[in-house]
Amino acid sequence: MDFSKLLHRFIVVPSLTEELAGLQRIAYNLWWSWEPEARELFRRLDPDLWTETHHNPVEMLGILQQASLDALKGDDGFMSHLARVDEKLQEYMQGKSWYSKVHDGNKELKVAYFSMEFGLHESVPVYSGGLGVLAGDHLKSASDLGLPLVGVGLLYRQGYFRQYLNIEGWQLEFYPENDFYNLPLRLERDDKGVPLTVELDFPGRKVKVHIWRLQVGRIPLYLLDTNLEENLPEDREMTAQLYGGDQEMRIRQEILLGIGGIRALKLLKIEPNVCHMNEGHAAFLALERIRILMTEHGVRFHEAMEAVRAGNVFTTHTPVEAGIDHFHADLLDKYLARYYRNLGLSRDEFLGLGRQNPKNPHETFCMAVLALKLATHANGVSELHGEVSRKMWKNVWPELPEEHLPLTSITNGVHMKTWLSNEMGGLLIRYLGTRWLDDPTDHNLWRRCSRIPDAELWRTHERGRERLVDFARRRLKDQLHKVGATAKEIAVADEVLDPETLTIGFARRFATYKRGTLLLRDRERLARILNNQTRPVQIVFAGKAHPADLEGKELIRQIVQLSYEESFRHKLVFIEDYDMAVARYLVQGVDVWLNTPRRPMEASGTSGMKVAFNGGLNMSVLDGWWCEGYRGNNGWAIGKGEVYDDIEYQNEVEGRAVYDLLEKEIVPLFYDRGLDGIPRGWIATMKASLQSLCPVFSTDRMVQEYTEHCYLPSYQHWQQLAQAELAPAMDLAHWKETMQKLWPQVRIDAVEAKEVAEVVLGTKIPITAKVFIGDIPLTDLAVDAYFGVLDSRGNIVGGELLPLEITTELGKGVHLYSGEIECRFCGRHGFMVRVMPRHHQFGPVYEPGLLLWG
């Protein structure tokens, strides 16, 4: 018998009197996770329970006995603390923000930020790593800045896996269930208290979806859940695990996120005019937005697409195509055939949306390509990643030179208040004041770090290292106990690491390209460095490998095995089950953060930024964000950005470079102390790091850039096209259709310039182009000269565009265009002429196939 059908269900909540109601208010807003005084309030309730519940205040309040809660009312100190934090939360929620001050609180902008994962806090485990933590930090800064933004994601019953290691050091996984009723979640309901339900059409069935809300400061995050009794077992599993399952599970999850996410917002009466796709996982949202406009306004696909594309932003985080989701046509037919037919698209037209070359039937359907084609603004997550992405995706815009591709970069950041230690925060307030808390992007404020007394900065940083060592010992003892180690082996854990020794941290996903064992290539040399009697070094490792990544698991096993050897036993530790809680200890406690990806495979990376805010220093390959962060005096670069074809040779060269840096620069600088025991040279580097990195690599700066370069321009473009019942979008679509028909008539008959072998700097060279425009109106064409310095292969590098003006009509349909190229740089130059359509309202418009070079 299925007893679950006989159960009567109800929810038990703590009974909090009016005086204590503030506790629940605070617990249900993750603002507490980046407000030190709020965290201290919950720790004060019961320090041991705070640790046992993984710092989850909602669960804590449910466990505490009613008598304990009632007793709090008589504790004047606690009640005063509660009142202070509650008032602070209310002030935060209602206070003036950057957005209201700088952009006059533009109420019309409504942004929806979609991500497959959100890393907000360890107590809400619906994230796997960097992408999710970045998304969580994005929401937190959007809240601090007062943006009109909502988040959309999936609520995973088991989240990402938890990691444990067997006695051999081999990674094993387990998936504990998340109890949604003991998390800071609210189920969205209608006026009658009935849960709001979204429906999705899957082959032969409908899937029902509930919507949970997680409040992140001022920002609501809506999480979708299919674990409902009325759904089939395989559909209930859709929100079981993050990145679990096969390709079929992945496409179902992405339909749920993109199409289900837009439907959920509509059900909640939230109609975003800008949607931000954090990676290609959410790209199906563009199709659902198009479908809604088609239904509401009775327009065709390409007409609705013009408006929707204007209001979409896409961020790619992946520098290799293998890391992007690709689906075979049969999966798309299975799940979306009826959907794309309802959009008025043929199978080939639909599949072409996800192909770089729409006419290539052998290309799989790529979610990143779909997102690129249906977004006006697209970006990578560092300057280098922007360059890599333009090379990766150049065939989406085959006629454009690389520097003109509509794919820019906005470098990632971190949410400072989440990652800054209490001690470091207090020190900065003492010497920088409090303005940096509201505007961490002000360089002048961070220059005041030079005023911090060396001894005070050093003692503050040392407390972080002491805390890390204490934490590592406790975790190591727990790990050894779980795998059945002897009492003697467990006792040794009390002696690992030293709170006064130079500490290197390495923690990240154990993908092979991140080279987690590069430091171990020459074990004898490493042992000498670690065990130097007067200048010792120690290393703390952490990180997970994907459950299917056996090579990554092998790297972890090698590190753990090495930590058992006598010469490394006290100097090298691997902490299992890396999450945001472990990350905080590491980034707040290490002296040096080691990062060794194979360039250019690290799109950005953010862990090193978190270290910088806490006074730690970075030693990294020049990849991702460190290309922009490294200044020569604020940390160390491994190599100079070289890339070798032979990977083994690259590993050998950069492995040696790491040892050389440690032996010749880092270790001597750390241990070069004055009579007072303070390493003044090291502290000068710490101050240079704080001053140069902190104002730049925060999510406040990042979200401000998204707002000013993407969200507001997207909104304005969307507004232009969506007004008057989509009339401008329809006009643009019709105009493009006309251009497609007439474009074959266009040709460049001749291009001429004054014949000169050499010219002096500053010379202006007149050029002319004879263009046949056929039946296209003159005002609908843009003719430009594209010119610049040539590289060794004869290609223009960093070219400029010079608009050419009509000077003469030479005959029916033939016109002469002319202009002057100014030679502002020395070297070999070249130019070409470009013709493309120009819309009367939107200026030059690029469409594949509608561009001519001559």
Side-chain angles (χ1 to χ4, degrees):
M1 180 180 286
D2 185 357
F3 287 100
S4 65
K5 291 180 178 176
L6 303 177
L7 281 172
H8 292 272
R9 294 174 173 84
F10 54 91
I11 300 163
V12 178
V13 297
S15 172
L16 296 174
T17 58
E18 190 177 337
E19 302 98 313
L20 293 172
L23 275 175
Q24 201 151 16
R25 248 192 321 273
I26 299 162
Y28 273 84
N29 188 326
L30 279 180
W31 166 85
W32 64 258
S33 70
W34 69 88
E35 174 50 52
E37 206 173 358
R39 292 198 303 271
E40 189 52 44
L41 176 73
F42 291 120
R43 184 182 290 107
R44 186 171 176 173
L45 278 169
D46 187 326
D48 293 334
L49 190 57
W50 177 243
T51 303
E52 287 167 27
T53 57
H54 225 47
H55 313 132
N56 179 351
V58 175
E59 188 179 356
M60 270 185 78
L61 292 175
I63 292 172
L64 282 170
Q65 295 295 316
Q66 196 63 46
S68 302
L69 292 170
D70 291 339
L72 292 172
K73 289 183 287 185
D75 185 337
D76 291 343
F78 180 85
M79 293 306 292
S80 170
H81 191 171
L82 170 58
R84 201 163 57 245
V85 173
D86 196 17
E87 186 179 350
K88 205 168 188 177
L89 173 58
Q90 302 316 312
E91 285 174 1
Y92 175 86
M93 296 296 284
Q94 295 155 17
K96 293 279 278 182
S97 67
W98 170 84
Y99 185 72
S100 63
K101 292 172 189 170
V102 175
H103 295 287
D104 201 23
N106 184 336
K107 297 290 190 297
E108 299 304 312
L109 174 68
K110 294 182 181 68
V111 182
Y113 181 91
F114 286 69
S115 181
M116 199 75 158
E117 50 172 309
F118 286 90
L120 293 155
H121 188 258
E122 61 269 17
S123 64
V124 188
V126 291
Y127 65 95
S128 73
L131 177 75
V133 172
L134 186 278
D137 282 8
H138 191 112
L139 294 195
K140 291 171 184 176
S141 274
S143 171
D144 290 343
L145 296 169
L147 252 64
L149 180 144
V150 301
V152 181
L154 304 184
L155 184 58
Y156 303 99
R157 197 171 73 250
Q158 297 172 337
Y160 201 51
F161 71 90
R162 301 284 300 276
Q163 176 198 56
Y164 67 101
L165 307 175
N166 68 15
I167 194 69
E168 297 296 317
W170 188 257
Q171 172 184 296
L172 299 166
E173 301 88 27
F174 69 105
Y175 294 85
E177 295 267 336
N178 288 326
D179 179 0
F180 298 166
Y181 296 95
N182 272 317
L183 290 174
L185 297 163
R186 302 280 193 193
L187 190 59
E188 290 293 313
R189 301 174 185 271
D190 64 17
D191 296 338
K192 296 176 183 174
V194 178
L196 293 175
T197 305
V198 174
E199 279 194 349
L200 286 171
D201 291 310
F202 275 22
R205 66 197 188 274
K206 289 191 182 295
V207 176
K208 295 187 183 298
V209 185
H210 278 176
I211 310 163
W212 296 79
R213 177 166 50 88
L214 180 64
Q215 197 65 33
V216 186
R218 298 178 171 112
I219 305 294
L221 168 59
Y222 297 104
L223 299 169
L224 308 182
D225 171 26
T226 62
N227 184 30
L228 313 181
E229 288 181 1
E230 49 266 55
N231 288 334
L232 294 175
E234 59 265 34
D235 294 329
R236 295 182 70 167
E237 289 300 303
M238 220 187 310
T239 51
Q241 294 177 3
L242 173 59
Y243 305 137
D246 56 12
Q247 283 291 88
E248 189 156 359
M249 176 62 80
R250 181 62 66 87
I251 196 171
R252 285 156 62 198
Q253 287 181 327
E254 296 187 1
I255 290 169
L256 172 63
L257 175 63
I259 297 174
I262 291 291
R263 289 184 185 175
L265 292 180
K266 193 159 183 64
L267 193 60
L268 293 162
K269 297 182 171 50
I270 297 168
E271 298 197 18
N273 38 45
V274 175
C275 286
H276 187 166
M277 299 172 269
N278 189 42
E279 252 318 336
H281 307 127
F284 289 136
L285 71 81
L287 299 177
E288 180 65 7
R289 294 187 77 193
I290 290 168
R291 186 195 68 78
I292 290 170
L293 283 188
M294 289 173 68
T295 302
E296 291 179 347
H297 297 277
V299 296
R300 296 176 302 147
F301 179 87
H302 288 91
E303 294 165 343
M305 182 179 75
E306 295 298 340
V308 167
R309 181 159 54 189
N312 281 343
V313 175
F314 169 54
T315 298
T316 173
H317 293 259
T318 312
V320 286
E321 203 167 337
I324 302 278
D325 284 331
H326 289 255
F327 296 118
H328 288 287
D330 56 349
L331 267 183
L332 293 152
D333 286 337
K334 180 175 179 179
Y335 285 97
L336 290 166
R338 186 176 167 197
Y339 188 88
Y340 66 67
R341 283 197 295 270
N342 287 340
L343 293 174
L345 296 176
S346 69
R347 182 177 189 269
D348 287 343
E349 285 174 323
F350 176 66
L351 293 175
L353 290 171
R355 291 170 172 163
Q356 294 198 59
N357 178 359
K359 295 175 182 173
N360 179 4
H362 303 296
E363 232 186 285
T364 52
F365 186 97
C366 175
M367 295 298 284
V369 171
L370 178 66
L372 287 167
K373 287 185 176 181
L374 296 180
T376 297
H377 294 272
N379 67 281
V381 288
S382 68
E383 287 178 7
L384 177 61
H385 182 232
E387 293 173 23
V388 170
S389 296
R390 286 188 286 276
K391 286 184 171 66
M392 269 177 72
W393 304 116
K394 62 185 177 186
N395 291 331
V396 176
W397 309 277
E399 298 103 337
L400 290 180
E402 217 167 89
E403 61 264 31
H404 290 178
L405 299 183
L407 207 170
T408 59
S409 65
I410 292 178
T411 302
N412 281 345
V414 297
H415 185 250
M416 172 193 64
K417 295 170 196 168
T418 293
W419 299 103
L420 194 65
S421 74
N422 291 351
E423 294 88 351
M424 194 68 185
L427 180 71
L428 293 173
I429 286 170
R430 280 200 297 282
Y431 292 97
L432 275 64
T434 57
R435 264 184 41 228
W436 62 274
L437 288 164
D438 297 318
D439 182 13
T441 64
D442 187 334
H443 286 260
N444 289 325
L445 288 174
W446 289 98
R447 289 193 186 101
R448 297 180 189 171
C449 286
S450 60
R451 304 177 186 175
I452 301 174
D454 289 356
E456 211 168 333
L457 178 58
W458 184 242
R459 298 293 174 234
T460 300
H461 179 66
E462 282 196 311
R463 281 195 287 277
R465 190 190 319 117
E466 287 162 7
R467 221 173 27 249
L468 169 61
V469 169
D470 179 60
F471 170 74
R473 288 172 176 174
R474 285 186 280 115
R475 283 296 283 263
L476 186 59
K477 283 171 80 170
D478 289 343
Q479 288 169 216
L480 291 169
H481 183 75
K482 280 187 285 190
V483 296
T486 64
K488 185 179 179 183
E489 288 170 328
I490 293 171
V492 169
D494 278 327
E495 300 169 10
V496 302
L497 307 181
D498 181 329
E500 295 185 358
T501 291
L502 169 60
T503 304
I504 298 171
F506 182 100
R508 52 195 33 89
R509 183 165 55 90
F510 266 78
T512 49
Y513 79 85
K514 292 179 183 279
R515 298 189 295 183
T517 55
L518 187 70
L519 192 59
L520 315 183
R521 286 182 67 84
D522 186 340
R523 296 186 179 190
E524 289 185 12
R525 190 173 179 186
L526 179 62
R528 288 197 300 273
I529 293 170
L530 299 189
N531 293 299
N532 185 304
Q533 290 297 310
T534 55
R535 295 179 166 185
V537 178
Q538 58 198 15
I539 312 165
V540 182
F541 285 95
K544 297 175 176 179
H546 187 278
D549 184 1
L550 299 182
E551 288 183 81
K553 289 184 176 184
E554 173 58 22
L555 296 179
I556 292 172
R557 191 195 67 81
Q558 289 175 22
I559 293 168
V560 175
Q561 286 290 316
L562 189 68
S563 73
Y564 293 156
E565 293 182 14
E566 191 55 43
S567 52
F568 295 97
R569 190 182 298 277
H570 296 91
K571 302 292 184 183
L572 192 152
V573 170
F574 188 98
I575 298 175
E576 70 180 16
D577 203 24
Y578 185 45
D579 66 0
M580 289 178 73
V582 175
R584 275 199 305 277
Y585 280 105
L586 281 162
V587 300
Q588 293 172 8
V590 298
D591 299 297
V592 175
W593 192 253
L594 178 65
N595 190 30
T596 53
R598 282 208 318 271
R599 179 183 163 113
M601 297 183 75
E602 184 85 283
S604 172
T606 56
S607 51
M609 303 173 189
K610 297 160 193 163
V611 170
F613 276 101
N614 287 288
L617 301 177
N618 280 273
M619 171 171 57
S620 174
V621 170
L622 285 169
D623 197 9
W625 78 281
W626 192 232
C627 299
E628 299 160 58
Y630 178 59
R631 295 282 183 276
N633 67 339
N634 63 348
W636 295 274
I638 301 166
K640 295 185 175 138
E642 306 91 342
V643 177
Y644 302 98
D645 292 332
D646 184 336
I647 292 172
E648 185 54 34
Y649 181 67
Q650 178 126 16
N651 292 344
E652 181 62 31
V653 168
E654 291 177 346
R656 282 203 307 269
V658 171
Y659 296 133
D660 287 345
L661 279 171
L662 286 170
E663 290 171 337
K664 297 173 184 175
E665 295 187 37
I666 295 172
V667 174
L669 189 66
F670 183 86
Y671 285 106
D672 184 10
R673 311 286 174 95
L675 292 175
D676 55 2
I678 306 297
R680 307 219 174 260
W682 187 273
I683 290 167
T685 310
M686 286 172 69
K687 288 182 177 180
S689 173
L690 287 163
Q691 289 171 313
S692 60
L693 302 181
C694 293
V696 179
F697 296 102
S698 73
T699 39
D700 276 26
R701 183 271 312 154
M702 180 190 85
V703 173
Q704 285 173 6
E705 282 192 36
Y706 275 114
T707 303
E708 291 170 340
H709 302 321
C710 300
Y711 297 161
L712 288 170
S714 277
Y715 164 67
Q716 287 152 7
H717 193 188
W718 174 87
Q719 193 180 39
Q720 281 180 306
L721 288 164
Q723 63 185 330
E725 294 291 309
L726 293 183
M730 292 166 68
D731 172 67
L732 181 58
H734 294 159
W735 178 81
K736 285 184 179 180
E737 286 172 2
T738 303
M739 281 292 153
Q740 292 283 1
K741 290 173 189 168
L742 298 178
W743 193 255
Q745 299 175 14
V746 180
R747 65 177 187 267
I748 300 172
D749 288 338
V751 177
E752 295 178 358
K754 185 180 175 184
E755 287 274 340
V756 283
E758 289 185 4
V759 296
V760 297
L761 196 68
T763 300
K764 293 182 178 179
I765 301 175
I767 62 170
T768 59
K770 193 189 296 182
V771 182
F772 179 74
I773 68 171
D775 296 324
I776 297 176
L778 270 173
T779 54
D780 283 3
L781 278 184
V783 180
D784 305 291
Y786 175 61
F787 69 99
V789 178
L790 300 181
D791 65 13
S792 59
R793 292 168 296 178
N795 298 318
I796 294 174
V797 179
E800 295 180 53
L801 284 173
L802 169 73
L804 301 183
E805 303 295 333
I806 297 172
T807 52
T808 315
E809 183 176 353
L810 299 176
K812 190 176 180 184
V814 181
H815 292 79
L816 195 68
Y817 291 78
S818 63
E820 287 184 329
I821 295 173
E822 184 179 356
C823 303
R824 298 199 306 276
F825 304 98
C826 293
R828 191 167 64 127
H829 286 64
F831 79 91
M832 300 188 291
V833 169
R834 185 187 82 174
V835 183
M836 66 189 297
R838 176 173 56 201
H839 188 269
H840 66 90
Q841 186 176 357
F842 302 110
V845 174
Y846 169 73
E847 281 282 298
L850 301 186
L851 192 146
L852 197 63
W853 292 96

